[in-house]
Amino acid sequence: MQADKSEVSKATLMRLPSYLRYLYELDKNGVTTVSSTMIAAGLDLNPVQVRKDVACVSTVAGKPKTGYALKELIADFENYLGYHNTRDVILVGAGGLGHAILSYDGFKKYGLNVMAAFDVDENVIGRDINGKPVYEMSRLPELVKRWGIRLGIITVPSQSAQEVADIMVAAGIKAIWSFSAKHLNLPADIALKHEDLAASLALLRMQLVSMTD
Amino acid sequence: MQADKSEVSKATLMRLPSYLRYLYELDKNGVTTVSSTMIAAGLDLNPVQVRKDVACVSTVAGKPKTGYALKELIADFENYLGYHNTRDVILVGAGGLGHAILSYDGFKKYGLNVMAAFDVDENVIGRDINGKPVYEMSRLPELVKRWGIRLGIITVPSQSAQEVADIMVAAGIKAIWSFSAKHLNLPADIALKHEDLAASLALLRMQLVSMTD
DNA sequence: TAGATTGTTAATCGATTAACAATC
DNA sequence: TAGATTGTTAATCGATTAACAATC
């Protein structure tokens, strides 16, 4: 019943990876069919919401009384999320967080391949982090074009984030994943996802305060 | 006009830190008053939304025609977000990401002080990361109680995340900030914020695909 | 058959945006 | 005064949840 991808809500899209992780777990435990009720219980969600979300992704209907065939459902999710369709990306800012991301091989299973990093710091340029070369910033445009890169990760201090984003966009990058604490002004046709840890923290602190103070 | 904190929506709460960052920038540039229109333009938001958000936080009304007094507004935001009210926290999992967080001193300005880290890896236990000691996991309950810690950060591999969360809760921690790709089952009275990078990535990839494929 | 489960339509809830009176 | 701006009420939009017929 797979819907047109543009019709799937942002909220649904962001839940899909957690469904898939749960399905992998069930699969590892030898489960062969799964119901919306089971998924909902496992992830603290509403069963109706699970059925709606699954309907966006799955190519075959679930069976009343039994639920969904697990292997099929996993394949549908992987396919929908493009986990087998690897995309090359680059990263700018080989500092603490950049280093951690370069060292983390887990993005590969999400279909993300970090080709290289870029930095302005002489001390890291030319080095190798987890097998990934760190190049001088000035080489970014050339290599982005050569590799056909469309997604860039920003892990630089906030005061440099806008400048780096502008360089990425000029080089032809179409989507930016930023971990810098800075609002980026970008052309409307560039996709942007900003990880704002201060925002998360504000939410968590307030929950904590309202709960026990 | 400061509203009861529990009435402020999650969405508003998560925007507050980005407002404050923008206000700091204006202050640095010598600006003394700011209008909702200006903030909205700077952060790509709707001016009405800005006025509503500001009303949740500010203790004085804005002036028609001129806007808000910048210094006052900054103080109100800092106060509301508790940035001067430092909270001690601990972190479990001194791997790549944990290391990056321990090395990052920027959380201090958000009122977060990472006291120490815990791990099970013999190679990091006893070491010091950015002046913060790494202790054996078994010492967590004792130190959490001694220091009165109420917030814990989880940066362990996903297969250990639930176990670590259970240990934290048993030790008296009331809020968990998790970076592990795993849904955590927790008592209802524990606050949880899960940073799901796979979810962010799903959103970004889909924007990219719908835009240019 | 009876009962658990799916898929969908309708109702509700929450957040954003539009409209507008009040104000400096 | 005229005009820009605030603060609030009403309308809209989007996402979640409830209700329920269809189905194996």
Side-chain angles (χ1 to χ4, degrees), chain B residues 150-164:
Chain B
R150 289 164 60 201
L151 198 160
I153 302 174
I154 298 184
T155 48
V156 299
S158 55
Q159 63 270 19
S160 318
Q162 182 66 56
E163 190 192 345
V164 167

Side-chain angles (χ1 to χ4, degrees), chain A residues 8-122:
Chain A
V8 177
S9 78
K10 281 173 64 166
T12 294
L13 215 40
M14 293 189 73
R15 280 190 295 269
L16 299 182
S18 75
Y19 288 131
L20 185 49
R21 285 194 296 263
Y22 185 66
L23 298 179
Y24 284 141
E25 237 181 83
L26 293 178
D27 186 45
K28 210 162 48 182
N29 295 335
V31 174
T32 57
T33 59
V34 61
S35 71
S36 60
T37 332
M38 196 188 303
I39 298 175
L43 298 176
D44 294 323
L45 297 170
N46 180 302
V48 178
Q49 185 168 65
V50 173
R51 286 201 288 280
K52 284 204 164 183
D53 287 346
V54 167
C56 294
V57 172
S58 70
T59 54
V60 290
K63 285 211 181 81
K65 179 102 174 167
T66 54
Y68 309 93
L70 187 58
K71 293 278 189 198
E72 265 180 12
L73 202 55
I74 287 177
D76 285 342
F77 269 85
E78 287 178 340
N79 187 44
Y80 189 89
L81 289 170
Y83 283 4
H84 297 317
N85 179 12
T86 300
R87 225 171 250 285
D88 291 335
V89 308
I90 54 102
L91 177 148
V92 176
L97 183 56
H99 200 285
I101 291 177
L102 289 166
S103 305
Y104 177 62
D105 288 319
F107 283 146
K108 229 170 229 162
K109 68 170 175 279
Y110 302 138
L112 219 63
N113 177 40
V114 184
M115 292 285 281
F118 296 86
D119 208 305
V120 292
D121 181 357
E122 298 288 342

Side-chain angles (χ1 to χ4, degrees), chain B residues 133-153:
Chain B
V134 182
Y135 295 109
E136 209 172 338
M137 255 323 261
S138 60
R139 299 204 56 200
L140 188 147
E142 166 208 347
L143 292 172
V144 161
K145 274 162 203 154
R146 185 188 308 166
W147 294 331
I149 303 287
R150 289 164 60 201
L151 198 160
I153 302 174

Side-chain angles (χ1 to χ4, degrees), chain B residues 30 42 45 53 55-56 84 146 151 163 184 186 209 213:
Chain B
L45 296 171
D53 287 345
C56 293
H84 297 316
R146 185 188 308 166
L151 198 160
E163 190 192 345
L184 298 177
L186 298 173
V209 168
D213 278 6

